[in-house]
Amino acid sequence: MNPPGVPYDDVALGLRASTGHRIAGALMIVNAALVLCETYMMPASTRGDLLTGSFPIAALIDVALGVSLLSGSTGAVTLSIVRVGLGLVLFTLLRALTGEWLAAGMQVGVSLAFLLLLVGHAKRVRIGLAALLFGLYLALESFGLYILVTGQNPLAHAVMSARGELTGEPAGDVVGGLVDYRLRAPSDRWYLRTDEAARRDNPLADRWLVRPDLDAHILIIAERVPDTMVPLAPFVDTVVGNMRSAASNFELIDSAPLPGHLDTGKLLHMRASVDGQDVEYLAGLVTAYGSAFQLIGFTGARNFAAVEPELRAAIESFVLPASAALPQGAGRVVGSAAPYAVTAPDARWITASPEMLAQQNPDSDRWLVRPDVDAHVTVMLEPLGEETAVDALMQQLPERLRSTWPTATLQPAEPLAGDHAQGQVLHASVAGAAGAFEIDYAIYVVGLRAFHLLATAPAPAYPGVQGQLRQVLRSFEPPGD
């Protein structure tokens, strides 16, 4: 019994919850509401995993415990202490293991705030300290919700700068590292990431621009392909295939010629899920003589509409390096093993270098290339032991071709009339490991030598270049003409 005149202390006797306990109950309900809001504002692609995880379940438990504490129940105090202690250990460890150090610190702070209120009989100092810790946690959580709702992070630039990820001033005019291409940043809100930071995230990165507040990026990948030009269509197919294999729910929304590079560039609009995030892309792919470029703009799907004009402006400002200029057009080319000649149709046709000829086609005497469409004309000489008519050589050609391409489809040979010589030409359609391509095979016979002219182009490009291939074949000038 209490001594006469001394009131009962119901809190000390455990008969009712203290003010600290009731405050803890209210804050547990507030925290649960924050967790549930954050969960349901996550991208749809990640929401399913979270709903089956422990965070929303813990939030529902917090609501139940919070209501009990607010009602003055003392039975919920011990359960609340156990729940907060487990959350302090488990959730902090989970976030630390995934590298989310800020989230881990926030978990420690909010857990300590609850323990200050729940353990024993909290007085003013402990209640004040708990309020301070929870207030800081609430401010950070509210800021996180603001980022989720708006897609904007006004502190991202400061955070990235503090980590040493940005080069300093706005990007402005960007010059390539591997080769001297140029690109104009669309506004002063765009910054260059340091080479170290860019290559840590993508070892192929040559330059990486970022707009921190919208988490928008332009990744530039430059590749050298000496003495040749990557055909545009296979290049696009390869890039799209790589992105499709690296992401889930991939969708190619649109593909159009890239302004400023209509014949050698494509502008792709794509959408995909990457690491549980919905990402939208605007990518420019450009091929040039000796190099190929990927200009990949991307941001979260929520921000894409706001940043698309800037991504488009930056990609369309791309200027090829001086080294990408085609060598001088082939013009009239005289043979090496004999003084015959062939003439290229225009300046887009170049002569393969001796090194390239020796490495890739050592049996050819001369090699003309139109790199932008992967079209080729090679000339080979065959000595004849006796005088042989061109008809006889043409009769042997189907067997020769099918020995290399067993499934080749051949058309009958036909006369080939040029300004300087008469020959025959055969057309073949071939499908192999390197893809489908078309062949125009011409033969001229001059004395005891046969001149074989092999003109090829990929099947998709052949209709557009067929006239030029035939023009080269008809331009053949025999020796001594």
Side-chain angles (χ1 to χ4, degrees), residues 332-414:
R332 182 175 179 271
V333 178
V334 177
S336 175
Y340 66 89
V342 289
T343 302
D346 59 35
R348 290 175 294 182
W349 288 83
I350 63 174
T351 305
S353 66
E355 294 79 14
M356 186 176 177
L357 190 63
Q359 180 180 4
Q360 298 192 27
N361 209 331
D363 294 331
S364 297
D365 185 65
R366 281 288 183 259
W367 184 2
L368 276 66
V369 184
R370 184 175 159 185
D372 60 324
V373 292
D374 196 25
H376 306 262
V377 178
T378 59
V379 183
M380 296 167 284
L381 277 65
E382 178 187 8
L384 303 174
E386 58 183 5
E387 289 189 6
T388 306
V390 69
D391 291 350
L393 293 178
M394 269 295 173
Q395 290 176 5
Q396 301 171 14
L397 189 55
E399 184 179 349
R400 289 186 180 184
L401 290 175
R402 286 204 171 98
S403 66
T404 304
W405 299 291
T407 60
T409 301
L410 308 178
Q411 297 180 6
E414 58 185 88

Side-chain angles (χ1 to χ4, degrees), residues 376-469:
H376 306 262
V377 178
T378 59
V379 183
M380 296 167 284
L381 277 65
E382 178 187 8
L384 303 174
E386 58 183 5
E387 289 189 6
T388 306
V390 69
D391 291 350
L393 293 178
M394 269 295 173
Q395 290 176 5
Q396 301 171 14
L397 189 55
E399 184 179 349
R400 289 186 180 184
L401 290 175
R402 286 204 171 98
S403 66
T404 304
W405 299 291
T407 60
T409 301
L410 308 178
Q411 297 180 6
E414 58 185 88
L416 181 65
D419 293 335
H420 307 278
Q422 305 294 316
Q424 289 195 20
V425 63
L426 176 147
H427 181 78
S429 299
V430 174
F437 57 99
E438 304 291 324
I439 298 174
D440 286 328
Y441 200 126
I443 298 178
Y444 294 94
V445 174
V446 182
L448 294 179
R449 285 181 296 194
F451 295 83
H452 299 255
L453 281 69
L454 182 65
T456 66
Y462 179 78
V465 79
Q466 178 184 11
Q468 289 197 339
L469 294 175

Side-chain angles (χ1 to χ4, degrees), residues 6-323:
V6 179
Y8 284 97
D9 188 344
D10 293 347
V11 173
L13 293 173
L15 300 177
R16 63 181 177 86
S18 69
T19 300
H21 295 156
R22 295 174 187 270
I23 294 174
L27 297 184
M28 289 178 78
I29 295 173
V30 171
N31 182 53
L34 283 173
V35 171
L36 291 173
C37 285
E38 189 177 63
T39 298
Y40 282 97
M41 288 179 184
M42 289 285 184
S45 55
T46 60
R47 192 180 301 159
D49 291 338
L50 286 170
L51 289 175
T52 59
S54 56
F55 289 103
I57 295 174
L60 296 176
I61 293 173
D62 285 351
V63 171
L65 291 173
V67 170
S68 296
L69 291 171
L70 276 174
S71 69
S73 169
T74 58
V77 174
T78 301
L79 291 176
S80 298
I81 293 173
V82 172
R83 178 263 174 271
V84 172
L86 289 174
L88 173 62
V89 175
L90 296 179
F91 292 159
T92 302
L93 181 61
L94 176 63
R95 283 158 167 162
L97 289 175
T98 57
E100 299 177 31
W101 298 108
L102 177 60
M106 291 169 61
Q107 181 65 52
V108 171
V110 72
S111 297
L112 289 177
F114 285 131
L115 291 175
L116 286 170
L117 295 170
L118 290 168
V119 176
H121 189 173
K123 301 296 184 179
R124 289 182 179 180
V125 174
R126 283 170 57 186
I127 291 175
L129 182 57
L132 179 63
L133 288 172
F134 191 85
L136 179 60
Y137 165 79
L138 181 63
L140 292 173
E141 277 290 330
S142 299
F143 184 66
L145 287 174
Y146 170 81
I147 294 173
L148 282 175
V149 172
T150 66
Q152 300 184 26
N153 185 351
L155 296 182
H157 176 263
V159 172
M160 294 184 74
S161 295
R163 291 175 178 171
E165 291 194 18
L166 304 180
T167 57
E169 297 298 320
D173 290 315
V174 177
V175 179
L178 184 67
V179 290
D180 59 337
Y181 62 84
R182 294 182 178 274
L183 185 82
R184 175 69 182 171
S187 73
D188 60 4
R189 290 172 291 188
W190 288 82
Y191 296 82
L192 268 178
R193 296 186 70 188
T194 62
D195 290 344
E196 179 182 2
R199 288 170 188 156
R200 182 184 65 237
D201 290 343
N202 190 322
L204 299 178
D206 186 67
R207 290 286 185 263
W208 191 320
L209 287 79
V210 60
R211 181 175 166 182
D213 61 324
L214 292 182
D215 194 22
H217 306 259
I218 301 173
L219 166 65
I220 306 171
I221 298 174
E223 300 174 77
R224 283 185 175 146
V225 282
D227 295 325
T228 190
M229 182 173 185
V230 177
L232 181 60
F235 182 46
V236 172
D237 290 343
T238 299
V239 172
V240 171
N242 289 341
M243 295 189 70
R244 191 185 302 276
S245 64
S248 58
N249 302 320
F250 177 86
E251 180 184 4
L252 176 59
I253 300 170
D254 185 50
S255 174
L258 177 62
H261 308 275
L262 297 179
D263 295 329
T264 57
K266 283 289 186 182
L267 187 63
L268 309 180
H269 182 193
M270 300 169 287
R271 186 182 294 123
S273 294
V274 181
D275 295 331
Q277 301 296 316
D278 294 327
V279 181
E280 205 150 344
Y281 300 84
L282 193 67
L285 306 181
V286 184
T287 63
Y289 186 76
S291 52
F293 303 91
Q294 301 175 49
L295 300 91
I296 305 174
F298 62 96
T299 187
R302 182 175 298 174
N303 288 335
F304 184 77
V307 82
E308 180 186 6
E310 293 194 344
L311 295 178
R312 188 178 297 273
I315 292 170
E316 292 182 2
S317 74
F318 177 75
V319 178
L320 287 168
S323 60

